[in-house]
Amino acid sequence: MAKIKMKKKSTSTDMTAMCDVAFLLLTFFILTATAKTPEVLPVDTPQSTVQTKLPADNLSTLTIGKANGKTAVFFDLKGKDVRKKALEFMADKYNVSFTEKESEEFGLMESFGVPIQNLKAILNMKAADRSKAGQPGIPKDSLDNQLKDWVLYSRKANIEVNDKELNFAIKGDAKEQYPAIKQVMDILQDQKVNSFNLVTGLRGKNF
């Protein structure tokens, strides 16, 4: 007796719904993503196998690298209110005035590297233009040690706002000479800041 042959059906699948979901997810991530602001002073940090995360807040980062061919130090401080309070202290110290709008902008900006007398010009720039402005770094010599004052008043501001001691991190370029790093360490230690983090890049282990 002859066998009955079953008619084969198409195995194609309608992917319309899957494509819709994929495009919805893609649209969601594009709309919610935040563009990364370029670093004002990009540095190539030394490599290390140690994996220790920096604190998410109560942190000040001192970046050391080359700006306009010279060693410069840039300053960063976490927390809008802390930044505004530190700016207020520095403005009183150096007799420089800032508008409320400039103070708000300073509370939101990233690291900077200019004397406080020139900070107004940086605040009035667009965020994308600040990295192109050729900031020379914060003065740190014996005659004009503004970096020391930023450290001092940032600690004072953080205690006043958060009631916590401020943490510090040094982010130095791998090509920088030791004396440049030591000068920043000395500024911290002069103010009894003997515990701070050194920022490094992650190096893979060889097995």
Side-chain angles (χ1 to χ4, degrees):
M1 186 174 179
K3 294 182 179 179
I4 300 175
K5 293 184 178 181
M6 301 294 294
K7 187 177 180 181
K8 293 183 178 180
K9 295 183 179 180
S10 174
T11 57
S12 61
T13 304
D14 187 359
M15 298 294 292
T16 304
M18 185 64 72
C19 290
D20 289 343
V21 171
F23 278 110
L24 284 172
L25 288 173
L26 180 61
T27 303
F28 170 78
F29 286 121
I30 291 175
L31 293 176
T32 57
T34 302
K36 184 180 179 181
T37 305
E39 291 184 84
V40 182
L41 183 65
V43 295
D44 183 15
T45 55
Q47 300 298 301
S48 170
T49 57
V50 179
Q51 299 185 50
T52 303
K53 289 187 177 181
L54 292 174
D57 52 10
N58 299 317
L59 177 68
S60 174
T61 303
L62 286 69
T63 304
I64 308 169
K66 285 288 189 294
N68 301 322
K70 297 181 179 180
T71 298
V73 179
F74 281 51
F75 190 82
D76 189 23
L77 181 63
K78 300 295 184 185
K80 178 181 177 181
D81 293 335
V82 179
R83 291 179 69 99
K84 291 173 63 177
K85 179 58 68 173
L87 180 65
E88 181 183 325
F89 289 144
M90 286 291 291
D92 289 341
K93 162 84 177 189
Y94 288 91
N95 196 26
V96 181
S97 61
F98 294 93
T99 65
E100 182 61 31
K101 181 180 178 181
E102 290 168 342
S103 179
E104 286 289 328
E105 186 63 30
F106 181 77
L108 299 172
M109 72 181 291
E110 297 293 329
S111 63
F112 63 95
V114 292
I116 191 168
Q117 294 87 350
N118 301 338
L119 186 56
K120 290 174 72 73
I122 298 297
L123 292 173
N124 290 316
M125 291 181 181
K126 293 181 180 178
D129 295 333
R130 290 170 185 158
S131 59
K132 307 173 186 176
Q135 300 182 41
I138 297 175
K140 58 185 185 304
D141 55 47
S142 58
L143 297 177
D144 187 16
N145 199 337
Q146 293 188 22
L147 181 61
K148 179 180 179 180
D149 289 329
W150 275 113
V151 171
L152 171 65
Y153 291 124
S154 294
R155 295 176 68 195
K156 184 177 178 180
N158 197 66
I159 290 174
E160 187 169 318
V161 174
N162 296 322
D163 195 26
K164 293 180 180 179
E165 184 60 49
L166 186 64
N167 298 304
F168 285 91
I170 296 176
K171 183 180 180 182
D173 193 285
K175 297 179 181 178
E176 278 300 326
Q177 298 296 316
Y178 176 71
I181 308 296
K182 185 178 183 301
Q183 184 182 14
V184 175
M185 290 181 176
D186 289 342
I187 290 174
L188 292 175
Q189 291 179 327
D190 284 345
Q191 299 186 47
K192 310 301 180 185
V193 180
N194 297 311
S195 177
F196 44 82
N197 298 282
L198 295 175
V199 180
T200 59
L202 183 62
R203 179 179 62 196
K205 294 182 180 179
N206 296 321
F207 294 96

